[in-house]
Amino acid sequence: MTGYLLAVSLSCLVGIAELVSRYRDRPTTLVRVPSTWAYVLINGGAGAGSLLLLHTFDWRFGVQSPDVAGATQILVASLGSMMVFRSAVFTVRVGDEDVAVGPSTLLTSLLAAADRGVDRMQAKTRAQEAGEIMRGVSFAKSRLALPTYCLGLLQNVSAEDQADLRTAVDALAGSEMTDGQMALNLGLLLMNVAGPDVLRSAVETLRAEITTDEPVPRPVPPPRDGQARENGEARPEPARSNPDQ
């Protein structure tokens, strides 16, 4: 029984590592998405099934010691299930794309479902955080300083991720959006790499040098008790005419 638990645990860890690598800014959100649990459990079930086959056919891989043979079977079952479930039997050409047909199709579908679930769950929170952090930030002043500072704060960002970020920022600079819209999108790009906490700290440190020269409008509270508010002052509602008079 212990061998099956180890094989399932190793296989599940591989699935968890894949998912965490895809959602680096807030991996704890994965806990609330059902499709991610299905993805992890399928990986664990594959490991248990592989170990069951090894025990059924008594494959020892030339090892005589029972303890060493058991450990070898667990490793082979875990690693073998990873390779089998990520393989394709053949490839079909559909339109302009090559579609792999095999066990990997199931995992690809579950990953796509996890992507959609996490995106829907994080969208509202990310929009609020980006708007709060990047309020008053000028894209023209921050497009070089802010990404460079965020990457400097992080010590383990790969060269490929850094190059992708620079390409995305350059494409953003060439768009026809306003400076404020580009600043918001720059915040979202940096949140994907650094996360909201690092981005907030970087903006607060550089705020004196990257803020826009225009005054930032303060949010106007909604009207209450039949009063319209303008410029922060209450204005009485105009009297309505009586149709009976």
Side-chain angles (χ1 to χ4, degrees), residues 26-37:
R26 193 176 283 105
T28 54
T29 310
L30 296 169
V31 179
R32 295 178 287 171
V33 180
S35 55
T36 61
W37 288 99

Side-chain angles (χ1 to χ4, degrees), residues 36-145:
T36 61
W37 288 99
Y39 184 82
V40 172
L41 292 177
I42 284 179
N43 280 272
S50 299
L51 185 59
L52 178 62
L53 290 176
L54 294 179
H55 287 168
T56 301
F57 294 101
D58 196 22
W59 289 343
R60 294 175 172 268
F61 304 99
V63 179
Q64 300 299 326
S65 173
D67 295 335
V68 178
T72 303
Q73 289 175 336
I74 293 172
L75 292 176
V76 171
S78 303
L79 297 176
S81 64
M82 300 172 197
M83 292 184 292
V84 169
F85 260 79
R86 286 154 183 80
S87 62
V89 180
F90 57 90
T91 303
V92 177
R93 186 75 173 181
V94 178
D96 296 332
E97 297 182 358
D98 292 330
V99 179
V101 178
S104 62
T105 306
L106 175 60
L107 294 185
T108 302
S109 301
L110 287 174
L111 276 177
D115 288 339
R116 292 190 296 270
V118 173
D119 286 342
R120 287 192 295 266
M121 191 168 294
Q122 289 185 343
K124 182 178 180 180
T125 303
R126 284 166 55 84
Q128 293 174 346
E129 289 179 340
E132 175 189 353
I133 296 172
M134 302 300 291
R135 180 177 292 114
V137 175
S138 171
F139 177 79
K141 295 181 179 180
S142 62
R143 57 170 294 190
L144 294 178

Side-chain angles (χ1 to χ4, degrees), residues 21 44 62 64-65 68 77 148 167 191 225 234 240:
S21 66
Q64 300 299 326
S65 173
V68 178
T148 303
T167 301
M191 283 174 61
D225 300 332
R240 298 180 181 178

